[in-house]
Short mmCIF file of all heavy atoms in Angstrom, two decimals:
data_model
loop_
_atom_site.label_atom_id
_atom_site.label_comp_id
_atom_site.label_asym_id
_atom_site.label_seq_id
_atom_site.Cartn_x
_atom_site.Cartn_y
_atom_site.Cartn_z
N LYS M 898 54.05 195.28 82.32
CA LYS M 898 54.64 196.14 81.30
C LYS M 898 54.02 195.85 79.93
O LYS M 898 53.56 194.75 79.67
CB LYS M 898 56.15 195.88 81.24
CG LYS M 898 56.87 196.31 82.50
CD LYS M 898 58.32 195.87 82.46
CE LYS M 898 59.13 196.32 83.62
NZ LYS M 898 58.52 196.36 84.91
N LEU M 899 54.03 196.85 79.08
CA LEU M 899 53.53 196.66 77.73
C LEU M 899 54.60 196.02 76.86
O LEU M 899 55.79 196.35 76.96
CB LEU M 899 53.09 198.00 77.12
CG LEU M 899 51.91 198.68 77.81
CD1 LEU M 899 51.60 199.99 77.15
CD2 LEU M 899 50.68 197.78 77.81
N ARG M 900 54.20 195.09 76.03
CA ARG M 900 55.13 194.34 75.18
C ARG M 900 55.96 195.26 74.30
O ARG M 900 57.18 195.07 74.16
CB ARG M 900 54.33 193.37 74.32
CG ARG M 900 55.15 192.45 73.48
CD ARG M 900 54.31 191.66 72.51
NE ARG M 900 53.15 191.03 73.10
CZ ARG M 900 52.04 190.78 72.42
NH1 ARG M 900 51.94 191.09 71.14
NH2 ARG M 900 51.02 190.20 73.00
N LYS M 901 55.36 196.27 73.72
CA LYS M 901 56.07 197.19 72.84
C LYS M 901 57.18 197.93 73.59
O LYS M 901 58.28 198.09 73.06
CB LYS M 901 55.08 198.20 72.23
CG LYS M 901 55.72 199.16 71.25
CD LYS M 901 54.69 200.02 70.58
CE LYS M 901 55.20 201.06 69.63
NZ LYS M 901 56.55 201.10 69.28
N GLU M 902 56.92 198.33 74.83
CA GLU M 902 57.94 199.02 75.63
C GLU M 902 59.13 198.10 75.88
O GLU M 902 60.28 198.52 75.79
CB GLU M 902 57.35 199.47 76.96
CG GLU M 902 56.37 200.61 76.85
CD GLU M 902 55.75 200.96 78.20
OE1 GLU M 902 56.14 200.37 79.23
OE2 GLU M 902 54.88 201.84 78.21
N ILE M 903 58.85 196.85 76.19
CA ILE M 903 59.92 195.88 76.44
C ILE M 903 60.75 195.69 75.18
O ILE M 903 61.98 195.73 75.22
CB ILE M 903 59.35 194.54 76.93
CG1 ILE M 903 58.76 194.70 78.33
CG2 ILE M 903 60.42 193.46 76.95
CD1 ILE M 903 58.05 193.47 78.85
N LYS M 904 60.08 195.49 74.04
CA LYS M 904 60.79 195.25 72.79
C LYS M 904 61.58 196.47 72.32
O LYS M 904 62.57 196.35 71.62
CB LYS M 904 59.82 194.79 71.71
CG LYS M 904 59.34 193.37 71.94
CD LYS M 904 58.53 192.88 70.77
CE LYS M 904 58.36 191.39 70.89
NZ LYS M 904 58.04 190.76 69.64
N ASP M 905 61.12 197.68 72.68
CA ASP M 905 61.84 198.89 72.30
C ASP M 905 63.01 199.19 73.24
O ASP M 905 64.05 199.69 72.81
CB ASP M 905 60.90 200.10 72.30
CG ASP M 905 59.90 200.06 71.15
OD1 ASP M 905 60.12 199.29 70.21
OD2 ASP M 905 58.90 200.80 71.22
N LYS M 906 62.85 198.88 74.50
CA LYS M 906 63.82 199.29 75.51
C LYS M 906 65.00 198.33 75.66
O LYS M 906 66.12 198.76 75.90
CB LYS M 906 63.12 199.44 76.86
CG LYS M 906 63.96 200.08 77.93
CD LYS M 906 63.14 200.31 79.17
CE LYS M 906 62.96 201.81 79.31
NZ LYS M 906 62.32 202.19 80.56
N LEU M 907 64.77 197.02 75.53
CA LEU M 907 65.81 196.04 75.86
C LEU M 907 66.92 195.82 74.83
O LEU M 907 68.06 195.58 75.23
CB LEU M 907 65.17 194.69 76.21
CG LEU M 907 64.38 194.66 77.51
CD1 LEU M 907 63.90 193.25 77.79
CD2 LEU M 907 65.17 195.20 78.67
N PRO M 908 66.68 195.87 73.52
CA PRO M 908 67.79 195.59 72.59
C PRO M 908 69.00 196.50 72.83
O PRO M 908 68.87 197.70 73.00
CB PRO M 908 67.16 195.85 71.21
CG PRO M 908 65.73 195.54 71.42
CD PRO M 908 65.42 196.04 72.80
N GLY M 909 70.17 195.84 72.90
CA GLY M 909 71.42 196.56 73.13
C GLY M 909 71.80 196.67 74.60
O GLY M 909 72.91 197.08 74.93
N LYS M 910 70.90 196.28 75.51
CA LYS M 910 71.19 196.36 76.95
C LYS M 910 71.88 195.09 77.42
O LYS M 910 71.84 194.06 76.77
CB LYS M 910 69.90 196.57 77.75
CG LYS M 910 69.08 197.75 77.31
CD LYS M 910 69.78 199.04 77.64
CE LYS M 910 68.81 200.19 77.38
NZ LYS M 910 69.37 201.41 77.01
N ASN M 911 72.48 195.17 78.61
CA ASN M 911 73.18 193.99 79.17
C ASN M 911 72.27 193.24 80.14
O ASN M 911 71.17 193.66 80.45
CB ASN M 911 74.49 194.40 79.82
CG ASN M 911 74.30 195.30 81.02
OD1 ASN M 911 73.19 195.45 81.54
ND2 ASN M 911 75.37 195.92 81.45
N GLY M 912 72.78 192.12 80.64
CA GLY M 912 72.01 191.26 81.53
C GLY M 912 71.60 191.92 82.83
O GLY M 912 70.51 191.66 83.34
N ASN M 913 72.46 192.76 83.39
CA ASN M 913 72.12 193.44 84.64
C ASN M 913 70.91 194.34 84.46
O ASN M 913 70.03 194.41 85.32
CB ASN M 913 73.30 194.26 85.17
CG ASN M 913 74.43 193.37 85.65
OD1 ASN M 913 74.21 192.23 86.04
ND2 ASN M 913 75.65 193.88 85.61
N PHE M 914 70.85 195.06 83.35
CA PHE M 914 69.72 195.94 83.08
C PHE M 914 68.44 195.12 82.94
O PHE M 914 67.40 195.47 83.49
CB PHE M 914 69.96 196.75 81.80
CG PHE M 914 68.84 197.69 81.48
CD1 PHE M 914 68.80 198.95 82.04
CD2 PHE M 914 67.81 197.30 80.62
CE1 PHE M 914 67.74 199.81 81.76
CE2 PHE M 914 66.76 198.15 80.33
CZ PHE M 914 66.73 199.42 80.91
N VAL M 915 68.53 193.99 82.23
CA VAL M 915 67.36 193.14 82.00
C VAL M 915 66.86 192.58 83.33
O VAL M 915 65.65 192.57 83.60
CB VAL M 915 67.67 192.01 81.01
CG1 VAL M 915 66.50 191.04 80.88
CG2 VAL M 915 68.03 192.59 79.65
N LYS M 916 67.78 192.13 84.20
CA LYS M 916 67.38 191.59 85.50
C LYS M 916 66.68 192.64 86.34
O LYS M 916 65.72 192.37 87.04
CB LYS M 916 68.58 191.03 86.26
CG LYS M 916 68.88 189.62 85.94
CD LYS M 916 69.93 189.06 86.86
CE LYS M 916 70.27 187.65 86.44
NZ LYS M 916 71.39 187.08 87.18
N GLU M 917 67.18 193.86 86.30
CA GLU M 917 66.55 194.93 87.06
C GLU M 917 65.19 195.31 86.47
O GLU M 917 64.25 195.58 87.19
CB GLU M 917 67.45 196.16 87.12
CG GLU M 917 66.88 197.23 87.99
CD GLU M 917 67.95 198.06 88.67
OE1 GLU M 917 69.06 197.55 88.91
OE2 GLU M 917 67.65 199.21 88.94
N TYR M 918 65.09 195.29 85.17
CA TYR M 918 63.86 195.71 84.49
C TYR M 918 62.77 194.64 84.56
O TYR M 918 61.61 194.95 84.84
CB TYR M 918 64.18 196.05 83.03
CG TYR M 918 63.06 196.71 82.28
CD1 TYR M 918 62.64 198.00 82.60
CD2 TYR M 918 62.42 196.06 81.24
CE1 TYR M 918 61.61 198.61 81.91
CE2 TYR M 918 61.39 196.67 80.54
CZ TYR M 918 60.99 197.94 80.88
OH TYR M 918 59.97 198.54 80.19
N LEU M 919 63.13 193.37 84.32
CA LEU M 919 62.14 192.30 84.27
C LEU M 919 62.20 191.33 85.45
O LEU M 919 61.26 190.58 85.68
CB LEU M 919 62.30 191.48 82.98
CG LEU M 919 62.05 192.20 81.67
CD1 LEU M 919 62.29 191.25 80.51
CD2 LEU M 919 60.64 192.75 81.61
N GLY M 920 63.31 191.32 86.16
CA GLY M 920 63.48 190.36 87.24
C GLY M 920 64.28 189.15 86.78
O GLY M 920 64.71 189.07 85.63
N THR M 921 64.49 188.22 87.67
CA THR M 921 65.25 187.02 87.38
C THR M 921 64.45 186.11 86.45
O THR M 921 63.25 185.91 86.67
CB THR M 921 65.56 186.26 88.68
OG1 THR M 921 66.21 187.16 89.58
CG2 THR M 921 66.48 185.07 88.44
N PRO M 922 65.08 185.57 85.41
CA PRO M 922 64.34 184.71 84.47
C PRO M 922 63.92 183.40 85.12
O PRO M 922 64.57 182.91 86.05
CB PRO M 922 65.34 184.49 83.34
CG PRO M 922 66.66 184.76 83.92
CD PRO M 922 66.47 185.74 85.02
N ASP M 923 62.85 182.81 84.61
CA ASP M 923 62.38 181.52 85.10
C ASP M 923 63.26 180.38 84.59
O ASP M 923 63.37 179.34 85.23
CB ASP M 923 60.93 181.28 84.67
CG ASP M 923 59.99 182.34 85.24
OD1 ASP M 923 60.19 182.75 86.40
OD2 ASP M 923 59.08 182.77 84.52
N GLU M 924 63.87 180.60 83.43
CA GLU M 924 64.69 179.55 82.81
C GLU M 924 65.75 180.20 81.95
O GLU M 924 65.50 181.23 81.31
CB GLU M 924 63.77 178.69 81.94
CG GLU M 924 64.36 177.43 81.41
CD GLU M 924 63.33 176.61 80.63
OE1 GLU M 924 62.12 176.76 80.85
OE2 GLU M 924 63.78 175.84 79.77
N ILE M 925 66.96 179.63 81.96
CA ILE M 925 68.05 180.12 81.11
C ILE M 925 68.54 178.96 80.25
O ILE M 925 68.83 177.88 80.77
CB ILE M 925 69.22 180.69 81.95
CG1 ILE M 925 68.75 181.89 82.76
CG2 ILE M 925 70.39 181.07 81.05
CD1 ILE M 925 69.81 182.46 83.68
N LYS M 926 68.62 179.20 78.95
CA LYS M 926 69.13 178.18 78.02
C LYS M 926 70.29 178.78 77.24
O LYS M 926 70.32 179.99 77.00
CB LYS M 926 68.05 177.72 77.05
CG LYS M 926 66.93 176.97 77.70
CD LYS M 926 65.93 176.47 76.68
CE LYS M 926 64.83 175.70 77.35
NZ LYS M 926 63.84 175.22 76.38
N ARG M 927 71.21 177.94 76.83
CA ARG M 927 72.35 178.40 76.04
C ARG M 927 72.44 177.55 74.79
O ARG M 927 72.23 176.34 74.82
CB ARG M 927 73.63 178.27 76.84
CG ARG M 927 73.71 179.26 77.97
CD ARG M 927 74.95 179.06 78.85
NE ARG M 927 75.01 180.05 79.90
CZ ARG M 927 74.34 180.00 81.03
NH1 ARG M 927 73.53 178.99 81.27
NH2 ARG M 927 74.47 180.95 81.95
N GLY M 928 72.76 178.21 73.67
CA GLY M 928 72.92 177.50 72.43
C GLY M 928 73.83 178.28 71.50
O GLY M 928 73.54 179.43 71.18
N GLY M 929 74.94 177.68 71.12
CA GLY M 929 75.89 178.38 70.26
C GLY M 929 76.46 179.59 70.98
O GLY M 929 76.92 179.50 72.10
N ASP M 930 76.40 180.74 70.33
CA ASP M 930 76.91 181.95 70.97
C ASP M 930 75.77 182.79 71.55
O ASP M 930 75.96 183.95 71.87
CB ASP M 930 77.74 182.77 69.97
CG ASP M 930 76.92 183.28 68.80
OD1 ASP M 930 75.81 182.75 68.58
OD2 ASP M 930 77.38 184.21 68.11
N ARG M 931 74.60 182.19 71.70
CA ARG M 931 73.45 182.92 72.24
C ARG M 931 73.01 182.36 73.59
O ARG M 931 73.24 181.20 73.90
CB ARG M 931 72.28 182.86 71.26
CG ARG M 931 72.55 183.71 70.05
CD ARG M 931 71.35 183.74 69.12
NE ARG M 931 71.51 184.71 68.05
CZ ARG M 931 72.32 184.56 67.02
NH1 ARG M 931 73.08 183.49 66.92
NH2 ARG M 931 72.39 185.49 66.09
N GLU M 932 72.38 183.23 74.35
CA GLU M 932 71.81 182.84 75.63
C GLU M 932 70.35 183.30 75.64
O GLU M 932 70.04 184.40 75.20
CB GLU M 932 72.58 183.53 76.76
CG GLU M 932 72.24 183.02 78.12
CD GLU M 932 73.20 183.54 79.18
OE1 GLU M 932 74.43 183.44 78.99
OE2 GLU M 932 72.70 184.05 80.18
N TYR M 933 69.46 182.43 76.12
CA TYR M 933 68.03 182.70 76.09
C TYR M 933 67.51 182.77 77.52
O TYR M 933 67.60 181.79 78.25
CB TYR M 933 67.29 181.58 75.33
CG TYR M 933 67.80 181.39 73.92
CD1 TYR M 933 68.88 180.56 73.65
CD2 TYR M 933 67.20 182.05 72.87
CE1 TYR M 933 69.35 180.39 72.36
CE2 TYR M 933 67.65 181.88 71.56
CZ TYR M 933 68.73 181.06 71.33
OH TYR M 933 69.19 180.90 70.05
#
Side-chain angles (χ1 to χ4, degrees):
K898 294 173 176 37
L899 295 179
R900 185 188 311 152
K901 183 174 177 7
E902 290 176 4
I903 291 174
K904 288 188 166 201
D905 289 344
K906 190 174 249 187
L907 292 184
K910 305 291 189 210
N911 64 14
N913 291 334
F914 181 86
V915 174
K916 272 189 184 173
E917 184 148 332
Y918 190 68
L919 296 178
T921 306
D923 298 322
E924 190 177 336
I925 297 176
K926 293 183 179 179
R927 290 175 178 81
D930 63 343
R931 289 185 171 72
E932 190 170 310
Y933 303 87

